[in-house]
Amino acid sequence: LLEYNKIPKGVYMIMADCYYKDDADDRTSLGVAVVYKIKSRYFNDITDKEVAWYVTRPNKTEEFYQSVLDLSDFYNATIQTELQGGGKGLLDYARHRKKLHRLEFEPMGINAKEILVQAKNRNYFIDLQEEDKRLGLLYLADWLKTPVGLDENGNEIWNLHYIYDLGYLRELLLYNDINNFDRISARIVGQHMLKETKERKITQHKERNKNS
C-alpha cells in the first residue's frame, strides 16, 4: 500500500454489491466491497490483484455504505456497483454525505451505449441487464484463468491463484443461476469496470499521440 494520503487517483478501484433493505424477509444477501489494485508504475508487482475485501450485513444499511465510503477515502479509490438493489441507497447516501466524487459513472460501453457519450451526461453506477451479467461472467472466467507468471516448475500461475478470499472461492465452486452469490456479483461489476479502464487508457494514449 502506498503511503496514506499520497495514493494517486486510479491506482485502486472498489467493486461493490449492495443489499436492498434492512428488514427484508430474506436476510441472506450480504454487502460486499472489494478493493482492487490496478497494475501501474507505482508497484513492482505488475499484476492486478484484490488487496482487501469487506463482506457484512450490519443492522443498518447506512453502516455498510459508510464503510464503503471510508474504504474509498483510504485507498483514494472510486466505487462501482450495480444501481439496482442497494446501489440506489448507496448513491443517495453518498449524495447526502457529499461524496459523489467517490462514485463511478456507468461504463460507456454498457447496454450498447455509444462510446463517445460525454461523462457529464452519464448516470452513476451500472445498470446491468441479463446479457450484461452473462458477459460479466464470461469476462470473469477469462480473468481467473489469465496467466500472470510461472512457478518454479514452469507451470502457469493464474489470477485465480492470487485470490485469498475463501468465501469467494467457495462461491466460485458452488455457482449456479438460481442462488444468491454476492461476492461473484461484485466481481461481475468489477469486470465491466476493468473493461472501461482499458478503454480509458487506450483513449488517453491516442490523445497523447495526437497532441504530440
Side-chain angles (χ1 to χ4, degrees), residues 148-200:
V148 292
L150 299 173
D151 65 15
E152 63 274 13
N153 298 316
N155 300 312
E156 288 185 346
I157 299 174
W158 298 344
N159 280 321
L160 173 65
H161 299 132
Y162 284 100
I163 294 175
Y164 304 107
D165 179 352
L166 294 180
Y168 178 30
L169 292 172
R170 292 190 188 99
E171 285 194 9
L172 290 171
L173 288 172
L174 299 172
Y175 181 78
N176 57 61
D177 292 332
I178 301 172
N179 299 107
N180 198 28
F181 296 91
D182 301 297
R183 295 172 179 86
I184 290 177
S185 294
R187 271 73 173 198
I188 289 174
V189 167
Q191 287 300 312
H192 283 290
M193 269 313 297
L194 286 176
K195 191 171 186 296
E196 170 87 344
T197 300
K198 291 177 182 177
E199 292 286 351
R200 287 178 187 170

Short mmCIF file of all heavy atoms in Angstrom, two decimals, residues 148-200:
data_model
loop_
_atom_site.label_atom_id
_atom_site.label_comp_id
_atom_site.label_asym_id
_atom_site.label_seq_id
_atom_site.Cartn_x
_atom_site.Cartn_y
_atom_site.Cartn_z
N VAL A 148 -0.33 -15.04 -15.30
CA VAL A 148 0.41 -13.85 -14.87
C VAL A 148 1.85 -14.18 -14.51
O VAL A 148 2.61 -13.30 -14.09
CB VAL A 148 -0.28 -13.18 -13.65
CG1 VAL A 148 -1.62 -12.60 -14.06
CG2 VAL A 148 -0.45 -14.16 -12.50
N GLY A 149 2.26 -15.44 -14.69
CA GLY A 149 3.63 -15.82 -14.39
C GLY A 149 3.80 -17.33 -14.41
O GLY A 149 2.88 -18.08 -14.80
N LEU A 150 4.99 -17.79 -14.01
CA LEU A 150 5.30 -19.21 -13.95
C LEU A 150 5.87 -19.54 -12.58
O LEU A 150 6.57 -18.71 -11.97
CB LEU A 150 6.33 -19.58 -15.03
CG LEU A 150 5.93 -19.35 -16.49
CD1 LEU A 150 7.12 -19.62 -17.40
CD2 LEU A 150 4.76 -20.24 -16.88
N ASP A 151 5.56 -20.74 -12.08
CA ASP A 151 6.15 -21.16 -10.81
C ASP A 151 7.52 -21.79 -11.07
O ASP A 151 8.02 -21.81 -12.20
CB ASP A 151 5.22 -22.11 -10.06
CG ASP A 151 4.99 -23.43 -10.78
OD1 ASP A 151 5.76 -23.76 -11.72
OD2 ASP A 151 4.04 -24.15 -10.41
N GLU A 152 8.14 -22.30 -10.01
CA GLU A 152 9.50 -22.84 -10.13
C GLU A 152 9.58 -24.06 -11.04
O GLU A 152 10.66 -24.43 -11.52
CB GLU A 152 10.06 -23.18 -8.74
CG GLU A 152 9.31 -24.27 -7.99
CD GLU A 152 8.14 -23.73 -7.20
OE1 GLU A 152 7.76 -22.57 -7.42
OE2 GLU A 152 7.59 -24.48 -6.37
N ASN A 153 8.42 -24.68 -11.29
CA ASN A 153 8.39 -25.86 -12.17
C ASN A 153 7.94 -25.52 -13.59
O ASN A 153 7.74 -26.43 -14.40
CB ASN A 153 7.45 -26.92 -11.57
CG ASN A 153 7.92 -27.41 -10.22
OD1 ASN A 153 9.12 -27.68 -10.03
ND2 ASN A 153 7.00 -27.53 -9.27
N GLY A 154 7.76 -24.25 -13.86
CA GLY A 154 7.35 -23.85 -15.20
C GLY A 154 5.86 -23.91 -15.44
O GLY A 154 5.42 -23.73 -16.58
N ASN A 155 5.07 -24.16 -14.38
CA ASN A 155 3.62 -24.19 -14.53
C ASN A 155 3.05 -22.77 -14.49
O ASN A 155 3.56 -21.90 -13.77
CB ASN A 155 2.99 -25.03 -13.40
CG ASN A 155 3.49 -26.46 -13.41
OD1 ASN A 155 3.50 -27.11 -14.45
ND2 ASN A 155 3.90 -26.95 -12.25
N GLU A 156 1.98 -22.54 -15.23
CA GLU A 156 1.37 -21.22 -15.26
C GLU A 156 0.77 -20.84 -13.91
O GLU A 156 0.17 -21.67 -13.23
CB GLU A 156 0.26 -21.17 -16.32
CG GLU A 156 0.78 -21.17 -17.75
CD GLU A 156 -0.34 -21.01 -18.75
OE1 GLU A 156 -1.53 -21.16 -18.36
OE2 GLU A 156 -0.05 -20.73 -19.94
N ILE A 157 0.95 -19.59 -13.52
CA ILE A 157 0.27 -19.01 -12.37
C ILE A 157 -0.84 -18.11 -12.91
O ILE A 157 -0.58 -17.24 -13.74
CB ILE A 157 1.23 -18.19 -11.50
CG1 ILE A 157 2.36 -19.08 -10.96
CG2 ILE A 157 0.47 -17.54 -10.33
CD1 ILE A 157 3.43 -18.32 -10.21
N TRP A 158 -2.08 -18.34 -12.48
CA TRP A 158 -3.22 -17.58 -12.96
C TRP A 158 -3.61 -16.51 -11.94
O TRP A 158 -3.19 -16.55 -10.77
CB TRP A 158 -4.43 -18.50 -13.18
CG TRP A 158 -4.24 -19.56 -14.21
CD1 TRP A 158 -3.26 -19.62 -15.17
CD2 TRP A 158 -5.05 -20.72 -14.39
NE1 TRP A 158 -3.41 -20.75 -15.93
CE2 TRP A 158 -4.50 -21.44 -15.49
CE3 TRP A 158 -6.18 -21.21 -13.75
CZ2 TRP A 158 -5.06 -22.64 -15.94
CZ3 TRP A 158 -6.75 -22.40 -14.20
CH2 TRP A 158 -6.19 -23.10 -15.28
N ASN A 159 -4.47 -15.59 -12.37
CA ASN A 159 -5.07 -14.65 -11.42
C ASN A 159 -5.78 -15.39 -10.30
O ASN A 159 -5.79 -14.94 -9.14
CB ASN A 159 -6.07 -13.74 -12.14
CG ASN A 159 -5.41 -12.60 -12.88
OD1 ASN A 159 -4.44 -12.02 -12.42
ND2 ASN A 159 -5.93 -12.27 -14.06
N LEU A 160 -6.38 -16.52 -10.61
CA LEU A 160 -7.09 -17.33 -9.63
C LEU A 160 -6.20 -17.66 -8.43
O LEU A 160 -6.67 -17.69 -7.28
CB LEU A 160 -7.56 -18.64 -10.29
CG LEU A 160 -8.17 -19.71 -9.39
CD1 LEU A 160 -9.47 -19.22 -8.78
CD2 LEU A 160 -8.40 -21.00 -10.17
N HIS A 161 -4.91 -17.86 -8.66
CA HIS A 161 -4.01 -18.28 -7.59
C HIS A 161 -3.67 -17.14 -6.63
O HIS A 161 -3.04 -17.37 -5.60
CB HIS A 161 -2.73 -18.85 -8.20
CG HIS A 161 -2.98 -20.05 -9.06
ND1 HIS A 161 -2.44 -20.20 -10.33
CD2 HIS A 161 -3.76 -21.14 -8.87
CE1 HIS A 161 -2.85 -21.33 -10.87
NE2 HIS A 161 -3.64 -21.93 -10.00
N TYR A 162 -4.08 -15.91 -6.97
CA TYR A 162 -3.85 -14.78 -6.08
C TYR A 162 -5.10 -14.38 -5.31
O TYR A 162 -5.15 -13.31 -4.70
CB TYR A 162 -3.35 -13.57 -6.88
CG TYR A 162 -1.90 -13.68 -7.30
CD1 TYR A 162 -1.55 -14.07 -8.58
CD2 TYR A 162 -0.88 -13.40 -6.39
CE1 TYR A 162 -0.23 -14.17 -8.97
CE2 TYR A 162 0.45 -13.51 -6.76
CZ TYR A 162 0.76 -13.90 -8.06
OH TYR A 162 2.08 -14.01 -8.42
N ILE A 163 -6.12 -15.23 -5.32
CA ILE A 163 -7.35 -14.96 -4.57
C ILE A 163 -7.24 -15.62 -3.20
O ILE A 163 -7.03 -16.83 -3.10
CB ILE A 163 -8.58 -15.49 -5.33
CG1 ILE A 163 -8.78 -14.69 -6.62
CG2 ILE A 163 -9.83 -15.40 -4.45
CD1 ILE A 163 -9.90 -15.22 -7.48
N TYR A 164 -7.40 -14.83 -2.15
CA TYR A 164 -7.27 -15.33 -0.78
C TYR A 164 -8.57 -15.22 0.00
O TYR A 164 -8.60 -15.52 1.19
CB TYR A 164 -6.15 -14.57 -0.06
CG TYR A 164 -4.83 -14.65 -0.78
CD1 TYR A 164 -4.33 -13.54 -1.45
CD2 TYR A 164 -4.10 -15.83 -0.82
CE1 TYR A 164 -3.12 -13.61 -2.14
CE2 TYR A 164 -2.90 -15.91 -1.50
CZ TYR A 164 -2.41 -14.79 -2.16
OH TYR A 164 -1.22 -14.86 -2.84
N ASP A 165 -9.63 -14.78 -0.65
CA ASP A 165 -10.95 -14.67 -0.03
C ASP A 165 -11.62 -16.05 -0.12
O ASP A 165 -12.11 -16.44 -1.18
CB ASP A 165 -11.77 -13.61 -0.76
CG ASP A 165 -13.17 -13.45 -0.20
OD1 ASP A 165 -13.57 -14.25 0.67
OD2 ASP A 165 -13.87 -12.51 -0.63
N LEU A 166 -11.65 -16.78 0.99
CA LEU A 166 -12.17 -18.15 0.98
C LEU A 166 -13.65 -18.19 0.63
O LEU A 166 -14.11 -19.10 -0.06
CB LEU A 166 -11.93 -18.82 2.33
CG LEU A 166 -10.47 -19.07 2.72
CD1 LEU A 166 -10.38 -19.74 4.09
CD2 LEU A 166 -9.78 -19.95 1.67
N GLY A 167 -14.42 -17.20 1.11
CA GLY A 167 -15.84 -17.15 0.78
C GLY A 167 -16.06 -17.01 -0.71
O GLY A 167 -16.97 -17.62 -1.29
N TYR A 168 -15.24 -16.20 -1.36
CA TYR A 168 -15.31 -16.02 -2.81
C TYR A 168 -14.97 -17.32 -3.54
O TYR A 168 -15.66 -17.72 -4.49
CB TYR A 168 -14.36 -14.90 -3.20
CG TYR A 168 -14.26 -14.59 -4.67
CD1 TYR A 168 -15.33 -14.79 -5.54
CD2 TYR A 168 -13.08 -14.08 -5.21
CE1 TYR A 168 -15.22 -14.49 -6.89
CE2 TYR A 168 -12.97 -13.77 -6.55
CZ TYR A 168 -14.03 -13.99 -7.38
OH TYR A 168 -13.92 -13.70 -8.72
N LEU A 169 -13.94 -18.01 -3.09
CA LEU A 169 -13.57 -19.28 -3.71
C LEU A 169 -14.69 -20.31 -3.58
O LEU A 169 -14.96 -21.07 -4.51
CB LEU A 169 -12.27 -19.81 -3.09
CG LEU A 169 -11.00 -19.00 -3.39
CD1 LEU A 169 -9.84 -19.52 -2.56
CD2 LEU A 169 -10.67 -19.06 -4.88
N ARG A 170 -15.35 -20.32 -2.42
CA ARG A 170 -16.48 -21.25 -2.25
C ARG A 170 -17.61 -20.91 -3.21
O ARG A 170 -18.24 -21.81 -3.79
CB ARG A 170 -16.98 -21.20 -0.80
CG ARG A 170 -16.00 -21.76 0.22
CD ARG A 170 -16.65 -21.91 1.59
NE ARG A 170 -15.68 -22.26 2.61
CZ ARG A 170 -15.13 -21.41 3.45
NH1 ARG A 170 -15.48 -20.13 3.42
NH2 ARG A 170 -14.25 -21.79 4.35
N GLU A 171 -17.90 -19.62 -3.38
CA GLU A 171 -18.95 -19.23 -4.32
C GLU A 171 -18.61 -19.66 -5.74
O GLU A 171 -19.49 -20.09 -6.50
CB GLU A 171 -19.16 -17.71 -4.26
CG GLU A 171 -19.91 -17.24 -3.02
CD GLU A 171 -20.42 -15.80 -3.14
OE1 GLU A 171 -20.34 -15.24 -4.26
OE2 GLU A 171 -20.90 -15.26 -2.14
N LEU A 172 -17.35 -19.54 -6.12
CA LEU A 172 -16.94 -19.96 -7.46
C LEU A 172 -17.18 -21.45 -7.66
O LEU A 172 -17.58 -21.89 -8.75
CB LEU A 172 -15.46 -19.62 -7.70
CG LEU A 172 -15.12 -18.14 -7.84
CD1 LEU A 172 -13.60 -17.94 -7.86
CD2 LEU A 172 -15.74 -17.56 -9.12
N LEU A 173 -16.94 -22.22 -6.62
CA LEU A 173 -17.14 -23.68 -6.72
C LEU A 173 -18.62 -24.04 -6.78
O LEU A 173 -19.01 -25.01 -7.44
CB LEU A 173 -16.50 -24.37 -5.51
CG LEU A 173 -14.98 -24.42 -5.48
CD1 LEU A 173 -14.50 -24.96 -4.14
CD2 LEU A 173 -14.44 -25.30 -6.62
N LEU A 174 -19.48 -23.27 -6.10
CA LEU A 174 -20.89 -23.62 -5.96
C LEU A 174 -21.81 -22.86 -6.91
O LEU A 174 -23.02 -23.08 -6.90
CB LEU A 174 -21.35 -23.35 -4.51
CG LEU A 174 -20.63 -24.15 -3.42
CD1 LEU A 174 -21.06 -23.65 -2.05
CD2 LEU A 174 -20.93 -25.64 -3.56
N TYR A 175 -21.27 -21.99 -7.74
CA TYR A 175 -22.10 -21.05 -8.50
C TYR A 175 -23.14 -21.74 -9.38
O TYR A 175 -22.87 -22.75 -10.03
CB TYR A 175 -21.23 -20.16 -9.38
CG TYR A 175 -22.07 -19.15 -10.16
CD1 TYR A 175 -22.56 -18.01 -9.53
CD2 TYR A 175 -22.41 -19.38 -11.49
CE1 TYR A 175 -23.35 -17.12 -10.21
CE2 TYR A 175 -23.20 -18.48 -12.18
CZ TYR A 175 -23.67 -17.35 -11.53
OH TYR A 175 -24.47 -16.47 -12.21
N ASN A 176 -24.35 -21.17 -9.39
CA ASN A 176 -25.41 -21.58 -10.31
C ASN A 176 -26.27 -20.36 -10.61
O ASN A 176 -26.04 -19.27 -10.07
CB ASN A 176 -26.26 -22.72 -9.71
CG ASN A 176 -26.87 -22.33 -8.38
OD1 ASN A 176 -27.64 -21.38 -8.28
ND2 ASN A 176 -26.51 -23.08 -7.33
N ASP A 177 -27.25 -20.51 -11.47
CA ASP A 177 -28.09 -19.38 -11.89
C ASP A 177 -29.28 -19.13 -10.97
O ASP A 177 -30.10 -18.26 -11.25
CB ASP A 177 -28.62 -19.62 -13.31
CG ASP A 177 -27.52 -19.58 -14.35
OD1 ASP A 177 -26.53 -18.88 -14.10
OD2 ASP A 177 -27.64 -20.26 -15.38
N ILE A 178 -29.38 -19.88 -9.87
CA ILE A 178 -30.56 -19.80 -9.01
C ILE A 178 -30.28 -19.07 -7.71
O ILE A 178 -31.01 -18.15 -7.33
CB ILE A 178 -31.10 -21.22 -8.72
CG1 ILE A 178 -31.47 -21.93 -10.04
CG2 ILE A 178 -32.31 -21.16 -7.78
CD1 ILE A 178 -31.83 -23.38 -9.86
N ASN A 179 -29.22 -19.46 -7.02
CA ASN A 179 -28.95 -18.92 -5.69
C ASN A 179 -28.28 -17.55 -5.74
O ASN A 179 -27.92 -17.06 -6.81
CB ASN A 179 -28.10 -19.91 -4.89
CG ASN A 179 -28.80 -21.25 -4.70
OD1 ASN A 179 -28.43 -22.24 -5.32
ND2 ASN A 179 -29.81 -21.27 -3.86
N ASN A 180 -28.12 -16.97 -4.55
CA ASN A 180 -27.53 -15.64 -4.42
C ASN A 180 -26.03 -15.77 -4.18
O ASN A 180 -25.60 -16.43 -3.24
CB ASN A 180 -28.20 -14.91 -3.25
CG ASN A 180 -27.97 -13.43 -3.31
OD1 ASN A 180 -27.80 -12.87 -4.38
ND2 ASN A 180 -27.98 -12.78 -2.15
N PHE A 181 -25.23 -15.11 -5.03
CA PHE A 181 -23.77 -15.16 -4.90
C PHE A 181 -23.24 -13.73 -4.93
O PHE A 181 -22.85 -13.21 -5.97
CB PHE A 181 -23.16 -16.00 -6.03
CG PHE A 181 -23.57 -17.45 -5.99
CD1 PHE A 181 -24.69 -17.89 -6.68
CD2 PHE A 181 -22.85 -18.37 -5.24
CE1 PHE A 181 -25.08 -19.22 -6.64
CE2 PHE A 181 -23.22 -19.70 -5.19
CZ PHE A 181 -24.34 -20.13 -5.88
N ASP A 182 -23.26 -13.10 -3.75
CA ASP A 182 -22.96 -11.67 -3.67
C ASP A 182 -21.51 -11.35 -4.02
O ASP A 182 -21.24 -10.32 -4.65
CB ASP A 182 -23.27 -11.16 -2.26
CG ASP A 182 -24.72 -11.39 -1.87
OD1 ASP A 182 -25.60 -10.82 -2.54
OD2 ASP A 182 -24.96 -12.15 -0.92
N ARG A 183 -20.59 -12.20 -3.61
CA ARG A 183 -19.18 -11.94 -3.90
C ARG A 183 -18.92 -11.97 -5.41
O ARG A 183 -18.17 -11.15 -5.94
CB ARG A 183 -18.31 -12.97 -3.17
CG ARG A 183 -18.37 -12.88 -1.64
CD ARG A 183 -17.64 -14.05 -1.02
NE ARG A 183 -17.66 -14.03 0.44
CZ ARG A 183 -18.63 -14.53 1.19
NH1 ARG A 183 -19.71 -15.07 0.61
NH2 ARG A 183 -18.55 -14.48 2.52
N ILE A 184 -19.55 -12.93 -6.09
CA ILE A 184 -19.39 -13.00 -7.54
C ILE A 184 -20.07 -11.81 -8.21
O ILE A 184 -19.55 -11.25 -9.18
CB ILE A 184 -19.96 -14.34 -8.07
CG1 ILE A 184 -19.05 -15.49 -7.63
CG2 ILE A 184 -20.10 -14.31 -9.59
CD1 ILE A 184 -19.55 -16.87 -8.05
N SER A 185 -21.22 -11.40 -7.69
CA SER A 185 -21.92 -10.24 -8.26
C SER A 185 -21.03 -9.00 -8.23
O SER A 185 -21.00 -8.22 -9.19
CB SER A 185 -23.22 -9.97 -7.50
OG SER A 185 -24.13 -11.03 -7.67
N ALA A 186 -20.31 -8.81 -7.13
CA ALA A 186 -19.40 -7.67 -7.04
C ALA A 186 -18.30 -7.77 -8.09
O ALA A 186 -17.93 -6.76 -8.71
CB ALA A 186 -18.79 -7.59 -5.63
N ARG A 187 -17.79 -8.97 -8.32
CA ARG A 187 -16.70 -9.13 -9.30
C ARG A 187 -17.20 -8.97 -10.74
O ARG A 187 -16.44 -8.55 -11.61
CB ARG A 187 -16.05 -10.49 -9.13
CG ARG A 187 -14.89 -10.54 -8.14
CD ARG A 187 -15.32 -10.44 -6.71
NE ARG A 187 -14.22 -10.65 -5.78
CZ ARG A 187 -14.38 -10.95 -4.50
NH1 ARG A 187 -15.59 -11.06 -3.99
NH2 ARG A 187 -13.32 -11.11 -3.71
N ILE A 188 -18.47 -9.29 -11.00
CA ILE A 188 -19.03 -9.05 -12.33
C ILE A 188 -19.03 -7.56 -12.62
O ILE A 188 -18.65 -7.11 -13.71
CB ILE A 188 -20.46 -9.63 -12.43
CG1 ILE A 188 -20.40 -11.16 -12.46
CG2 ILE A 188 -21.18 -9.09 -13.67
CD1 ILE A 188 -21.76 -11.82 -12.41
N VAL A 189 -19.45 -6.77 -11.64
CA VAL A 189 -19.38 -5.32 -11.77
C VAL A 189 -17.93 -4.89 -12.03
O VAL A 189 -17.65 -4.04 -12.89
CB VAL A 189 -19.91 -4.64 -10.49
CG1 VAL A 189 -19.56 -3.16 -10.47
CG2 VAL A 189 -21.42 -4.83 -10.38
N GLY A 190 -17.01 -5.49 -11.30
CA GLY A 190 -15.60 -5.15 -11.46
C GLY A 190 -15.06 -5.45 -12.84
O GLY A 190 -14.25 -4.69 -13.38
N GLN A 191 -15.52 -6.54 -13.44
CA GLN A 191 -15.05 -6.88 -14.78
C GLN A 191 -15.47 -5.84 -15.80
O GLN A 191 -14.71 -5.49 -16.72
CB GLN A 191 -15.57 -8.27 -15.19
CG GLN A 191 -14.89 -9.42 -14.48
CD GLN A 191 -13.40 -9.46 -14.74
OE1 GLN A 191 -12.96 -9.35 -15.87
NE2 GLN A 191 -12.62 -9.61 -13.68
N HIS A 192 -16.68 -5.33 -15.67
CA HIS A 192 -17.12 -4.26 -16.58
C HIS A 192 -16.30 -2.99 -16.35
O HIS A 192 -16.02 -2.25 -17.30
CB HIS A 192 -18.61 -3.99 -16.39
CG HIS A 192 -19.50 -5.02 -17.02
ND1 HIS A 192 -19.63 -5.14 -18.39
CD2 HIS A 192 -20.30 -5.99 -16.49
CE1 HIS A 192 -20.48 -6.12 -18.67
NE2 HIS A 192 -20.89 -6.65 -17.54
N MET A 193 -15.91 -2.74 -15.10
CA MET A 193 -15.09 -1.56 -14.83
C MET A 193 -13.67 -1.73 -15.36
O MET A 193 -13.05 -0.79 -15.84
CB MET A 193 -15.05 -1.26 -13.34
CG MET A 193 -16.13 -0.32 -12.85
SD MET A 193 -16.31 1.17 -13.87
CE MET A 193 -14.71 1.94 -13.66
N LEU A 194 -13.13 -2.95 -15.29
CA LEU A 194 -11.80 -3.20 -15.86
C LEU A 194 -11.81 -2.95 -17.37
O LEU A 194 -10.86 -2.40 -17.92
CB LEU A 194 -11.37 -4.64 -15.56
CG LEU A 194 -10.95 -4.93 -14.12
CD1 LEU A 194 -10.64 -6.41 -13.95
CD2 LEU A 194 -9.73 -4.10 -13.74
N LYS A 195 -12.89 -3.37 -18.02
CA LYS A 195 -13.02 -3.13 -19.45
C LYS A 195 -13.07 -1.63 -19.71
O LYS A 195 -12.45 -1.12 -20.65
CB LYS A 195 -14.28 -3.82 -19.97
CG LYS A 195 -14.41 -3.87 -21.48
CD LYS A 195 -15.58 -4.75 -21.89
CE LYS A 195 -15.66 -4.95 -23.39
NZ LYS A 195 -15.93 -3.70 -24.11
N GLU A 196 -13.82 -0.91 -18.88
CA GLU A 196 -13.90 0.54 -19.01
C GLU A 196 -12.54 1.19 -18.80
O GLU A 196 -12.16 2.12 -19.52
CB GLU A 196 -14.91 1.08 -17.98
CG GLU A 196 -14.92 2.59 -17.82
CD GLU A 196 -15.85 3.27 -18.83
OE1 GLU A 196 -16.23 2.62 -19.82
OE2 GLU A 196 -16.18 4.43 -18.62
N THR A 197 -11.79 0.71 -17.81
CA THR A 197 -10.47 1.27 -17.52
C THR A 197 -9.53 1.09 -18.70
O THR A 197 -8.75 2.00 -19.05
CB THR A 197 -9.88 0.60 -16.26
OG1 THR A 197 -10.74 0.83 -15.15
CG2 THR A 197 -8.50 1.16 -15.94
N LYS A 198 -9.59 -0.08 -19.34
CA LYS A 198 -8.75 -0.31 -20.51
C LYS A 198 -9.12 0.62 -21.66
O LYS A 198 -8.26 1.14 -22.37
CB LYS A 198 -8.87 -1.78 -20.95
CG LYS A 198 -8.24 -2.77 -19.99
CD LYS A 198 -8.46 -4.20 -20.43
CE LYS A 198 -7.87 -5.18 -19.43
NZ LYS A 198 -8.12 -6.60 -19.81
N GLU A 199 -10.42 0.84 -21.83
CA GLU A 199 -10.88 1.76 -22.87
C GLU A 199 -10.36 3.18 -22.60
O GLU A 199 -9.95 3.89 -23.52
CB GLU A 199 -12.41 1.77 -22.94
CG GLU A 199 -13.04 0.47 -23.43
CD GLU A 199 -12.85 0.26 -24.93
OE1 GLU A 199 -12.39 1.20 -25.61
OE2 GLU A 199 -13.15 -0.84 -25.41
N ARG A 200 -10.37 3.58 -21.34
CA ARG A 200 -9.87 4.90 -20.98
C ARG A 200 -8.39 5.04 -21.33
O ARG A 200 -7.95 6.06 -21.88
CB ARG A 200 -10.06 5.15 -19.49
CG ARG A 200 -11.46 5.41 -19.02
CD ARG A 200 -11.47 5.58 -17.51
NE ARG A 200 -12.82 5.68 -16.98
CZ ARG A 200 -13.11 5.63 -15.70
NH1 ARG A 200 -12.13 5.47 -14.81
NH2 ARG A 200 -14.36 5.73 -15.28
#
